[in-house]
Amino acid sequence: MVKKLLVAAALCSALPAIAADPENGKELFHEVELERVIRGIEYTDADCFTCHEASYFTRADRAATTWPKLVAWVEGCNTNLDVGWFPDEVEDVAAYMNREFYKFPTAE
């Protein structure tokens, strides 16, 4: 029994990691609609561009300077705004943003 479990674990660890899906991330990024008060203004349809213009993602002094930091920032928005994305969806959104704006090398 233990031998079978070890073989199964070895086979699973040899499988390539599932790559993030930037097309799914694009849909998730553009479909966000939140009811939030942001800087004193009440929004019924706030989205990523409510707080961030496209130039925010491409400016020289941006906070996300690597792929892992980008994923962390997307997760930060997800958590702080209660967007509701699962971890794989956070990676998908980060992959979309990376493809469109950041152009970081990824570990994929």
Side-chain angles (χ1 to χ4, degrees), residues 78-91:
N78 181 46
T79 300
N80 292 329
L81 298 174
D82 196 23
V83 175
W85 292 327
F86 291 104
D88 60 323
E89 293 173 322
V90 167
E91 290 232 357

Side-chain angles (χ1 to χ4, degrees), residues 50-98:
T50 302
C51 295
H52 311 293
E53 295 178 14
S55 63
Y56 178 87
F57 305 124
T58 58
R59 67 180 203 246
D61 64 339
R62 61 189 178 202
T65 55
T66 64
W67 167 251
K69 287 181 182 178
L70 175 57
V71 174
W73 277 101
V74 173
E75 178 54 41
C77 287
N78 181 46
T79 300
N80 292 329
L81 298 174
D82 196 23
V83 175
W85 292 327
F86 291 104
D88 60 323
E89 293 173 322
V90 167
E91 290 232 357
D92 290 350
V93 171
Y96 163 70
M97 293 176 68
N98 191 50

Side-chain angles (χ1 to χ4, degrees), residues 26-39:
K26 179 180 179 179
E27 284 183 37
L28 292 166
F29 181 90
H30 290 286
E31 288 178 359
V32 170
E33 286 187 358
L34 304 166
E35 291 187 29
R36 302 291 296 184
V37 175
I38 301 169
R39 292 188 293 267

